[in-house]
Amino acid sequence: MSITSAAYSEHFGFTSLDVETLLRAYGLEKNMPIVKQWYDGYCFGNTEVYNPWSVINYIDSCYHDKNALAKPYWSNTSSNSIVKNLVEHADLSVKQEIETLIEGKTITKPIHEDITYEDMDSTQDNLWNFLFFTGYLRKIREYQKGETIYMEMSIPNSEVRYIYKNTVLRRFEDQNQKKALEPLYESLLAGDTKAMADILSENLMETISFYDYQENYYHGFLTGLLKGMKNYVVLSNHESGMGRPDIIIKYPSIRGKAIIIEIKVAKSFQELDKKCKEALDQIHQQHYAVPLRQEGYAHILLYGVAFYKKDCMVIKEETSRPEH
């Protein structure tokens, strides 16, 4: 008996009727869309079920506070070691598949019900199997090709997507702490834009994006790399001039350098240069460097950084005169 079997499938979790009955009993009928978004999505046999542990915890929290927010209760009780294992051993193709899943799309993998925990690390396909059988993926459809059964799968709900996202973020933060990022810092201080772009692109290839390559994703990515820059203060979205530049880096003493970085996202590889120039124009138009000049910094580096998916371009200007 497994979760792919139709027999007793409704007993693996709460059915939709079970959840509606529970919510009605506590006067929480209006919360059904939230419960469905966060805790539904599991398919055992031919029955769609909810995570009973999370549903019970959510209803309990709402019993004490009608405005309680949905939380990832399952992630607070599980080690999530299988997801962590997948992320830590992910090659380029697996990273792309994880991105695909977090974006809400599907992947298709061969499914074997006869594997054991000893087999988990033997192949990447076995790891996907364990993610499916332990509830981190849900069945969309299945079909047989020759002697192999294939399963099209997706992330079941917001609770599990939260687990994937946070596991990925922690892995990236751990990697950053272990990496020698001095070449990036040296190129930044030296104004070596080619080296900067190469290093940033290389690091992007190793990350997993789940924000559809929006500016806030790149902003967090770059800030995360730069926060380990010793002897320099790194400020994110700090008010300066007539706005908030993406990143300001400055030496504690005005005898050192100050750096302003503005980030843009291009719609194509060919648009990278244009977006870099737009970033520099914004630095000037919003007078971002004026407060730094008023503090007494004589040497200020201005960077326009543009991203397109996993590619990056950097252009710079140096200023040693007051802006008006």
Side-chain angles (χ1 to χ4, degrees):
M1 186 73 64
S2 78
I3 65 172
T4 61
S5 173
Y8 309 110
S9 58
E10 71 274 15
H11 300 297
F12 281 103
F14 288 158
T15 65
S16 182
L17 180 59
D18 293 333
V19 175
E20 289 174 2
T21 303
L22 277 168
L23 291 175
R24 192 179 306 113
Y26 287 91
L28 299 170
E29 298 95 327
K30 293 181 179 179
N31 296 44
M32 188 65 184
I34 296 174
V35 177
K36 185 173 182 62
Q37 176 188 341
W38 273 82
Y39 311 121
D40 186 19
Y42 300 98
C43 187
F44 293 159
N46 297 316
T47 306
E48 186 165 327
V49 298
Y50 290 67
N51 182 331
W53 170 260
S54 298
V55 170
I56 290 172
N57 275 276
Y58 175 70
I59 290 175
D60 181 63
S61 67
C62 290
Y63 177 74
H64 298 287
D65 176 8
K66 292 271 187 181
N67 298 315
L69 301 176
K71 296 179 182 178
Y73 296 103
W74 189 24
S75 72
N76 294 332
T77 60
S78 170
S79 66
N80 303 313
S81 59
I82 299 175
V83 176
K84 183 179 179 181
N85 200 354
L86 175 72
V87 173
E88 286 181 348
H89 296 89
D91 58 20
L92 183 58
S93 63
V94 172
K95 289 172 184 173
Q96 290 175 340
E97 288 173 318
I98 295 174
E99 286 184 2
T100 297
L101 286 168
I102 294 177
E103 287 172 9
K105 300 175 184 176
T106 65
I107 63 169
T108 301
K109 294 292 176 182
I111 292 296
H112 312 285
E113 296 188 21
D114 56 347
I115 59 174
T116 64
Y117 271 97
E118 287 77 15
D119 302 321
M120 186 169 66
D121 294 326
S122 60
T123 69
Q124 204 74 57
D125 280 344
N126 282 347
L127 198 50
W128 288 116
N129 271 255
F130 274 98
L131 286 167
F132 170 68
F133 285 112
T134 52
Y136 291 99
L137 293 170
R138 65 160 291 177
K139 179 181 75 174
I140 301 298
R141 68 184 182 97
E142 61 180 327
Y143 62 91
Q144 191 164 16
K145 189 174 181 181
E147 299 176 351
T148 304
I149 295 175
Y150 290 88
M151 194 80 70
E152 183 182 0
M153 301 173 289
S154 68
I155 292 176
N157 51 46
S158 294
E159 180 177 42
V160 177
R161 184 172 289 107
Y162 173 92
I163 294 171
Y164 275 93
K165 283 184 176 182
N166 281 271
T167 302
V168 169
L169 284 173
R170 282 196 297 270
R171 175 186 179 273
F172 183 51
E173 289 173 357
D174 292 343
Q175 279 188 333
N176 282 348
Q177 291 175 2
K178 297 174 184 177
K179 274 186 177 179
L181 292 170
E182 284 76 11
L184 173 62
Y185 306 150
E186 291 170 2
S187 62
L188 181 68
L189 293 170
D192 188 342
T193 56
K194 183 181 183 307
M196 280 181 62
D198 289 345
I199 295 169
L200 292 176
S201 295
E202 180 183 335
N203 277 272
L204 278 169
M205 292 296 292
E206 298 178 5
T207 67
I208 298 172
S209 166
F210 42 80
Y211 289 115
D212 196 25
Y213 300 110
Q214 297 298 313
E215 188 172 311
N216 61 346
Y217 161 65
Y218 293 111
H219 183 262
F221 160 77
L222 187 51
T223 304
L225 292 178
L226 296 175
K227 69 180 183 181
M229 199 169 175
K230 293 180 180 179
N231 302 322
Y232 279 83
V233 178
V234 180
L235 303 171
S236 175
N237 286 322
H238 185 75
E239 188 172 348
S240 184
M242 296 172 62
R244 294 180 179 272
D246 286 321
I247 300 172
I248 291 177
I249 303 169
K250 57 183 182 179
Y251 194 70
S253 167
I254 60 173
R255 293 185 179 87
K257 294 181 179 179
I259 298 167
I260 300 173
I261 300 174
E262 190 63 29
I263 299 168
K264 296 292 180 184
V265 178
K267 294 180 180 179
S268 66
F269 182 82
Q270 291 74 20
E271 196 182 34
L272 284 171
D273 183 67
K274 175 187 174 184
K275 287 296 179 180
C276 282
K277 292 174 181 175
E278 285 183 12
L280 282 181
D281 287 343
Q282 181 174 327
I283 291 173
H284 290 298
Q285 291 166 5
Q286 297 297 317
H287 305 291
Y288 290 157
V290 170
L292 293 172
R293 187 72 60 207
Q294 291 172 343
E295 286 182 49
Y297 286 95
H299 192 181
I300 303 173
L301 288 167
L302 315 178
Y303 284 103
V305 182
F307 293 98
Y308 173 67
K309 294 186 176 180
K310 302 287 189 182
D311 286 298
C312 172
M313 180 178 287
V314 183
I315 62 175
K316 81 167 195 310
E317 288 183 15
E318 294 188 41
T319 174
S320 57
R321 63 181 184 279
E323 295 192 3
H324 301 286

